[in-house]
Amino acid sequence: MRRTRNRILAGLLCGAMALNMGACGQDDSGRGESGQIHFTATSINLPDNVNFMEDDIYKAYNEKFNFTYELTNITWETWDEGDRIWIISGDMPDMLFWNFNLKDYKSYTSQGLLKPLPEDLEEKYPNLAAAMEKTGIAGYLKSVDPENKLYMIPNVIYLNPPTETTDIILDPKVLHYRKDWAKAVGIDVGETITTEQVAELAKAFIEKDPGGNGAGKTIGLTATPGNMDAVFVQSHNAFFNQFYKGADGKYVWGGFDDSTLEGVKELRKYYEMGVIDPDYYAFKGKEHYEKFDSGIAGMFFDGASGANVNERFQSFARMNKDINPSDAIGLSVVVGADGVYRGEQNVINYWAGLLFRPDLDDEVLECILSILDYSCTEEGQRLIHLGIEGKDFTLDGDEITVTREKDANGEFVSIADLYPSYNFFFTKAVLPDDWSAHDPSLPKAVLEQAMNMFHVKERAAELVEPDYDVVLFDGEQKLKFPISINEIITEIVVSGDDVDKRWEIFKKDNAKTVQGVLDEINEALAK
């Protein structure tokens, strides 16, 4: 049944791909009549009905590397299954944008379904190699390969992490709050804020109604269920939703920790007090943004990269044309009662990767690697994210002045709208998060505010190096682990039942499942 389903889906993929790259299985990579290198590749959510070889970003790349490419769009819904079919069937494009998992990686490489990267990659492509090293995962994958080979280019999130003292990647989420409301209710919010202070601020917003919503209509704190857990539960236990190594060298599951229960109790307390959005448990998307922008909610908790903060400021400004978002919105790092920041742990500096078909011509691979190597340079990143020097920006030493056109709201037009090929280049080898940390097209005040949050976190955090062994561990029990601690927490918080009794039932019902995973992990990894 599975094989039949895969054949049907493969057929459908072939039909769709024929529009972009000829018949399925056709290997049309290599040199064209003009001597150009040609290759096929995939990207997520490419725009429709555009030519990716007509704009000036592509042309600038082509002048350097003399290539053409055919791009195939993949969607979030079909990404994993589509890539799997391509790889197993031997019909994959020359370069595949892949959602990495270690079990499949080992399976594909052991069957010869992928092309290994050249052993001299560090010498020939030093910029790419440096970016890959920053991911941490490239070296790990080589170390666990029987022949010490690497078959994937992991895309680095931060070439230069937005921190001052560490390269450890920090959880980007912070509290966004109405700074003007806080001033109106007489509460001074600092760069860090405890969970108790969050609740006090929310209570003041509700009772004093600085937004003028009317009695009972103001929401103190809103967020998605997962982010609400991050505020209250994670502030008690950084590993509340992870397997981690305890002080004795044995692995445990944070979901059963006493500190996790304490966080759940605090979340329940503030939920029952009414300072938390009563409908948060049902959120599926961006409801918290809408409530904040419309002036109903005084705080929300979410990601705060430079680009994210700017987007939130712009969205707020569109809904509140008479209010300057810089005057109205503040950011603060949520810490525990002891002042320690406990963001998500084991955040690895990569997302997704690039794979190559096993029979890809070496000359074509060399061209692709050269393109990626250039993309990892400062000049390459400026080309991708700023456009054409002299047209879209000027460079005077290290000083960049953005000159590209603006829209009716006075915001710079998106590079993706001006240059469709951006949609390919911006997720290859280096992800856009890195650029977001120093993007000169963002308002300086917004960027500085966002980056300062990372600096505050590293000063307030107990920094722990990522544990690649447990994060990437591919044991069967761990891969099948069915418990979503976030869902359990939400159910307990909104149920109205006695928390301690529900917690004991939860632990009793799931003890065997958790222990099975721990036995598997400890047998393989504990020292």
Side-chain angles (χ1 to χ4, degrees), residues 204-264:
F205 286 167
I206 293 170
E207 293 179 348
K208 298 183 179 181
D209 190 23
N213 293 310
K217 295 182 179 179
T218 296
I219 295 169
L221 171 67
T222 186
T224 61
N227 282 342
M228 201 68 81
D229 294 346
V231 173
F232 295 102
V233 183
Q234 197 162 282
S235 294
H236 286 263
N237 183 2
F239 293 95
F240 82 100
N241 58 355
Q242 297 186 23
F243 293 94
Y244 69 98
K245 186 181 290 187
D248 61 355
K250 297 288 186 181
Y251 282 89
V252 296
W253 186 50
F256 278 177
D257 289 350
D258 290 342
S259 54
T260 299
L261 174 58
E262 291 306 309
V264 175

Side-chain angles (χ1 to χ4, degrees), residues 283-300:
F283 285 4
K284 301 297 183 182
K286 302 179 180 180
E287 293 94 332
H288 54 302
Y289 293 158
E290 296 165 359
K291 291 184 177 184
F292 184 83
D293 291 346
S294 65
I296 298 299
M299 291 179 280
F300 72 91

Side-chain angles (χ1 to χ4, degrees), residues 102 135-137 140 168 239 242-246 249-252 345-350 463-473 478 521-522 525-527:
L102 185 59
T135 69
I137 193 175
Y140 179 87
I168 294 175
F239 293 95
Q242 297 186 23
F243 293 94
Y244 69 98
K245 186 181 290 187
K250 297 288 186 181
Y251 282 89
V252 296
Q345 300 297 298
N346 290 317
V347 180
I348 300 179
N349 193 19
Y350 89 97
L463 297 171
V464 180
E465 292 282 350
D467 185 344
Y468 294 96
D469 287 328
V470 72
V471 172
L472 300 176
F473 183 68
K478 180 172 178 285
I521 294 174
N522 282 309
L525 303 180
K527 298 177 181 178

Side-chain angles (χ1 to χ4, degrees), residues 194-195 235 335-340 342:
T194 66
T195 52
S235 294
V335 297
D338 55 1
V340 175
R342 298 181 178 87

Side-chain angles (χ1 to χ4, degrees), residues 383-394:
L383 173 61
I384 293 170
H385 294 284
L386 288 180
I388 307 304
E389 184 176 356
K391 175 184 177 183
D392 301 303
F393 72 97
T394 60

